Amino acid sequence: MKKTYLVLLLFSIAFSFAQQQDKLSTIATAEMMSASNLMAVVSNPDTQNYDITYHKLEFTVDPAVYFISGKITTTYTALANMTSVVFDLANQLTVSSVVSNGQNLTFLQNGNNELVITLPATQVTGTAATVEITYSGAPPVNGFRAFTTEVRGTGSNTLYTLSEPFGARDWWPCKQDLNDKINSIDVYITAPSQYIAVSNGLEPEAPIVNGATKTTHFHHGYAIPAYLICMAVTDYTVYNQTAGVTPNQYPIINYIYPESFNSGLQTQLAQTPLLLNLYSNLFELYPFHNEKYGHAQFGWGGGMEHTTVSFMIGFDRQLIAHEMAHQWFGDKITCGTWKDIWLNESFATYLASIVYENFDGPDAFISDKTNMVNYITSATGGAVYLTDTEATNVNRIFNSRLTYNKGAMVLEMLRFKMGDAAFFQAIKNYLADISLAYGYAVTTNLKSHLETVYGSSLTEFFNDWIYNQGYPSYTITAQNWGAGQGRFTINQTQSDASVTYFEMPVPVRIHGSGGQQQDIVLNNTVNGEIFIQPINFEIASIEFDPEKHLISKNNNISLGNEDFELEKAITLYPNPTIDAVHIQLPTTITLEKVTIYNNLGQVVLENNTVDFSLSSISSGVYEVQLQTSEGVYHKKIIKN
């Protein structure tokens, strides 16, 4: 029975880990539907000289036909003198006309997925202009489809889009780089009248039926990047809810496949207003509360956080939580480059984990973090922040182990290091920053807000955990060290050579033979560091990071049996040192005076604090005399 139980236990652990990987991989896969796995161009230099302020997008589609016709009216402001204006547009789509102020303009599709429009005269910096582009065609099918038509099992025809990260140009002429948000959009979708159409924002008026077709109008009045503009058309059932409290109530509008709509799904969707309230209480009011939140069911596994309407394969609470979190992190504030994608995905992953903490309790939260740590440490390398080359690879951008899980646990470590009050206040300040809100942010913007509230530099932390790779493995030895004290020695190895040492507060739980328990935190910064801590009982065993605050693996924790000696309890570190010195003393001893002698017996430095500098003396070996309340002790120190 014991052997059978062990096998079943191991299988259960492996299955849970596999489920965690599968769930996050599914979300990651769903969020990266795009024209191609590998893009040669991330930022198009030909679209940098203007700023889009408005799009009117008019689409004519039929879910039964893989084809789109459209007219995109774009108002933009010149950032430099312009003789032409360039839009991103797939080669497979054909432009039939470009009009400005009633005048037909000359244009060229250059075969490089660009539409180049020749302006009738030089447009001067700071002036605005409007162009109307009429086009049609079957969007490209290579790689991940940004534009999809399919027949569901019920025989119903379905159309949906998903443009992240590089797919918007596959179905409409746009500026898809992460350098410009459109201030507002109006979307008009004309489709066969039996279908219901979905897009961003609210419907300001009822759909207009014209014979066999119906035109549905959506208006979105918040700034939005091209990749978050969406469209879906099928035979939806509409299910309405309400979120928020007066005076800030707003609608939740769910577009559901009829075959999926039942009481069980309604029970799942009942979590939506609860989740919106949780995030609003933790951070700020839902950013698009003047319009709506909602979901539209679609056929791609997982979900996608289109602004105000997340596209969803199903309605598992954790999937709802992840995509909803993006409305704050990804939609209100969007990563400024694909190298900074963790600002979107790590936050969404971590907020979904916080749902376990708030709805299911600490054990569920610890279990989720344990699964994430196991997944992260299943390979030894990989950074949260991407290189320029990695930022052209869709699979790397949406790597579930690094972008989603490792980034989420890095946020957990920041929260642990800073404390809840400082961490959450810094995130609130980040979301409220008027220079970032409804715009773009990069990693240094978040770091600045965290440091401002924390009051100290986080450069070392970001270098270790965001920009470089790997994780630590700790060896910790604990010893009973005199009455009411414990001595802890920490050593560490790193899984990747890019990090010299992971400096982190290390949580340890102490157990006594009588059932006593005490949690301590050892602020570890160097290898071989020794801590003497007050412990209220004799240590019987120790536990490393019981609440799973850290990314680590292969940790070795032991209880030593060395007898306590006061002489050994007094240490100086770092030793050797270049400058700063700290004297570690048992808590029962008071330091009275420090005298440092050179090898000639001459006094070269005197001090009476446990922290002091050796910058005033030259390199060499020195005798340190420590006068304490328990007598005089002698140590040696090496100044490099």
Side-chain angles (χ1 to χ4, degrees), residues 328-335 344 430-431 436-441:
W328 285 261
F329 302 95
D331 293 8
K332 179 184 180 181
I333 297 183
T334 307
C335 61
N344 295 14
Y430 169 74
L431 288 166
L436 305 176
Y438 303 100
Y440 295 105

Side-chain angles (χ1 to χ4, degrees), residues 485 566 570 583-594 608-610 626-633:
Q485 293 186 123
L566 188 55
I570 301 172
I583 302 172
Q584 179 73 66
L585 294 167
T587 55
T588 55
I589 295 180
T590 301
L591 178 68
E592 296 175 351
K593 185 178 181 181
V594 180
N608 59 5
T609 63
V610 294
L626 303 172
Q627 187 174 326
T628 77
S629 57
E630 297 296 321
V632 177
Y633 298 89

Side-chain angles (χ1 to χ4, degrees), residues 83-87 98 105-107 115-119 131 133:
T83 58
S84 63
V85 60
V86 176
F87 290 90
V98 178
L105 302 185
T106 302
F107 61 89
L115 169 65
V116 183
I117 302 168
T118 301
L119 299 175
V131 293
I133 303 167

Side-chain angles (χ1 to χ4, degrees), residues 83-271:
T83 58
S84 63
V85 60
V86 176
F87 290 90
D88 297 305
L89 183 66
N91 299 329
Q92 292 86 341
L93 300 176
T94 301
V95 175
S96 55
S97 71
V98 178
V99 178
S100 180
N101 293 324
Q103 179 181 355
N104 287 314
L105 302 185
T106 302
F107 61 89
L108 169 69
Q109 290 184 258
N110 62 11
N112 193 32
N113 297 302
E114 288 184 339
L115 169 65
V116 183
I117 302 168
T118 301
L119 299 175
T122 298
Q123 184 176 346
V124 179
T125 303
T127 60
T130 299
V131 293
E132 299 175 357
I133 303 167
T134 302
Y135 73 102
S136 62
V141 189
N142 57 307
F144 290 101
R145 284 184 175 182
F147 180 94
T148 297
T149 59
E150 62 187 20
V151 180
R152 304 201 310 276
T154 58
S156 298
N157 295 303
T158 307
L159 179 152
Y160 55 84
T161 64
L162 199 166
S163 300
E164 189 179 26
F166 306 119
R169 72 181 188 187
D170 284 1
W171 57 285
W172 61 285
C174 62
K175 179 180 177 182
Q176 70 174 13
D177 297 338
L178 294 179
N179 53 48
D180 192 3
K181 281 193 176 182
I182 306 104
N183 295 3
S184 65
I185 61 172
D186 284 284
V187 182
Y188 295 83
I189 303 170
T190 299
S193 57
Q194 69 267 32
Y195 298 118
I196 290 177
V198 182
S199 190
N200 313 90
L202 285 175
E203 294 183 56
E205 66 270 336
I208 297 173
V209 178
N210 185 10
T213 65
K214 179 172 65 178
T215 300
T216 308
H217 172 207
F218 291 87
H219 175 76
H220 181 59
Y222 294 89
I224 186 171
Y227 82 87
L228 288 175
I229 294 174
C230 65
M231 171 173 58
V233 182
T234 193
D235 59 338
Y236 285 121
T237 294
V238 180
Y239 177 61
N240 294 303
Q241 300 170 279
T242 302
V245 295
T246 305
N248 294 311
Q249 284 190 316
Y250 51 94
I252 303 170
I253 306 176
N254 302 285
Y255 301 86
I256 311 297
Y257 293 158
E259 64 271 21
S260 300
F261 190 72
N262 53 44
S263 59
L265 183 134
Q266 291 179 55
T267 300
Q268 287 182 302
L269 288 172
Q271 296 291 309

Side-chain angles (χ1 to χ4, degrees), residues 16 20 353-354 356-358 360-374 409 412 509 543-550:
S16 174
Q20 172 75 5
S353 189
I354 287 177
Y356 284 117
E357 178 185 22
N358 284 271
D360 303 332
D363 288 346
F365 187 39
I366 292 168
S367 176
D368 189 56
K369 291 188 288 184
T370 299
N371 286 334
M372 285 197 285
V373 170
N374 289 341
M409 279 303 300
E412 166 68 9
R509 178 165 292 167
E543 188 180 354
F544 175 80
D545 190 19
E547 296 181 353
K548 292 296 180 284
H549 295 299
L550 307 183

